[in-house]
Amino acid sequence: MSTIKNQDLLALKSYITAADSTQYASLASTTLILDLTHSNLHQRHAEIRFDKHDTVDELRRRIHQKSGTPPCMQHLQLKSAGGGAVFHEILPNMDSDRMLGYYNLPLGANKKNTTNGKGTLRDWGRKQKENDPEFSLKKHAREHAELVEARRLYKESGGVKDGFEIDESTGVIVRCSESETTNANGGDGKEKSESAADIEYGPESIQHLTLTSRCQVQPGSRRGSIAYLGPIPELGAGGHWVGVILDEPMGKTDGTVQASGVRYFEAPGSNRGGFFRGKNVVVGDYPERDIMDELEDSEDEL
């Protein structure tokens, strides 16, 4: 390696690398930082953060978001920091529920994704088209973008976009089956899909609810008080919504829609509110839970 003699460049190098030795000092003990690479694509996603309690399935979903390679096609190779030798391999559809902490990954480890079989993304697309004549890479990319958008919407507001649902086994947003989508749309195209959303989540979907009522919302049996009833155009899914101030910090908003900055109600914290569909909200005698009561009960249990 040649020696840098220019004093300005030396000063710049010193400034940039000054905190290298302490850049990870403030990380939580369970945080992992991985570099993601791909065998068939010229991609390198540096320093992607995970938690040791995240599963291999979550890792595969993140790779799918960034590369477009479906989880079922991913052959994972774990390498030491700096892209050294492979110290573990995870075959497609294996170890999906295993936590990343199991693999004793060092900070800055490299995770390489090798697609199942040789070839490029186009080769993979041709194989998919053999099984599904209607498949196309353009359609796959569009559906992938729609899934990412649906998960972003759920993360920001708790709302579930039409055509998607919450997988009860994993709690993750997934696309509804084709038969469910067809039935909801009456077998027609986009125009009926949009009108179906307005019908399913119209004013009658929240008519059983009243402002300030105590309620319980699903998923998670979370309790709180109703703070808003009505449409929220910024969410883009149509129909009417229910804004709830939650008793515990188990929400995704403070009453503001992040995409637009419009506030519909005021919650006491950034994770003390959420927007829900009327069908997921039940009003009734739902007092705030007392954690001390639960502790007392557990102490008396033998």
Side-chain angles (χ1 to χ4, degrees):
M1 176 181 288
S2 59
T3 303
I4 299 177
K5 297 182 179 180
N6 186 296
Q7 294 301 315
D8 290 338
L9 289 179
L10 287 172
L12 178 61
K13 177 184 177 181
S14 177
Y15 174 78
I16 293 175
T17 61
D20 280 6
S21 60
T22 59
Q23 60 178 322
Y24 301 123
S26 61
L27 291 179
S29 60
T30 60
T31 299
L32 293 172
I33 296 184
L34 305 180
D35 290 350
L36 306 181
T37 60
H38 196 287
S39 63
N40 294 337
L41 302 175
H42 295 291
Q43 292 183 350
R44 180 176 181 271
H45 303 281
E47 299 194 350
I48 306 301
R49 299 195 179 196
F50 294 88
D51 188 271
K52 289 183 178 179
H53 299 96
D54 289 337
T55 63
V56 172
D57 188 48
E58 173 62 22
L59 172 62
R60 287 192 171 113
R61 280 198 293 268
R62 294 279 291 276
I63 293 171
H64 185 198
Q65 290 178 352
K66 295 180 179 300
S67 70
T69 301
C72 63
M73 301 289 291
Q74 295 176 16
H75 179 163
L76 309 182
Q77 295 180 338
L78 306 181
K79 298 183 178 181
S80 56
V86 175
F87 63 84
H88 196 89
E89 294 197 29
I90 308 174
L91 299 179
N93 300 316
M94 298 294 290
D95 294 351
S96 294
D97 296 327
R98 182 161 284 172
M99 295 182 182
L100 298 181
Y102 168 83
Y103 302 102
N104 195 28
L105 292 165
L107 190 67
N110 180 274
K111 205 298 307 161
K112 182 176 181 180
N113 171 43
T114 304
T115 54
N116 188 17
K118 297 181 178 180
T120 65
L121 187 61
R122 291 184 181 277
D123 295 328
W124 173 80
R126 293 190 189 98
K127 292 181 180 179
Q128 297 301 309
K129 195 170 184 65
E130 292 175 2
N131 299 325
D132 180 8
E134 297 183 0
F135 177 87
S136 69
L137 288 175
K138 183 177 181 180
K139 176 184 176 184
H140 172 72
R142 185 184 70 251
E143 291 178 346
H144 171 64
E146 291 172 351
L147 178 60
V148 171
E149 173 63 18
R151 288 178 174 171
R152 182 196 65 78
L153 173 65
Y154 178 69
K155 183 177 180 180
E156 290 183 359
S157 66
V160 180
K161 192 174 181 180
D162 293 320
F164 296 85
E165 60 185 357
I166 301 174
D167 187 329
E168 296 182 358
S169 62
T170 63
V172 175
I173 293 293
V174 296
R175 188 180 296 275
C176 294
S177 65
E178 185 175 349
S179 60
E180 292 176 347
T181 304
T182 301
N183 291 337
N185 296 346
D188 289 331
K190 181 178 178 182
E191 184 176 347
K192 283 200 173 181
S193 174
E194 294 175 348
S195 62
D198 292 332
I199 293 173
E200 183 178 1
Y201 303 118
E204 66 280 357
S205 67
I206 60 172
Q207 65 182 4
H208 62 295
L209 307 172
T210 56
L211 290 174
T212 72
S213 295
R214 292 290 301 174
C215 66
Q216 181 167 280
V217 300
Q218 300 296 343
S221 298
R222 291 166 285 178
R223 295 184 180 182
S225 302
I226 296 176
Y228 175 79
L229 295 168
I232 303 179
E234 294 89 348
L235 294 183
H240 287 60
W241 296 83
V242 184
V244 177
I245 299 175
L246 300 169
D247 295 339
E248 301 178 52
M250 300 172 65
K252 300 178 182 296
T253 179
D254 62 355
T256 302
V257 177
Q258 185 174 343
S260 64
V262 176
R263 179 179 292 278
Y264 285 85
F265 63 92
E266 190 161 346
S270 61
N271 54 1
R272 286 286 302 278
F275 297 107
F276 306 91
R277 291 300 193 182
K279 66 179 182 180
N280 294 329
V281 181
V282 178
V283 296
D285 183 17
Y286 294 109
E288 187 172 350
R289 292 186 175 95
D290 189 338
I291 189 173
M292 297 307 297
D293 289 343
E294 295 178 3
L295 290 174
E296 290 173 3
D297 290 342
S298 63
E299 290 172 358
D300 292 338
E301 185 176 341
L302 297 178

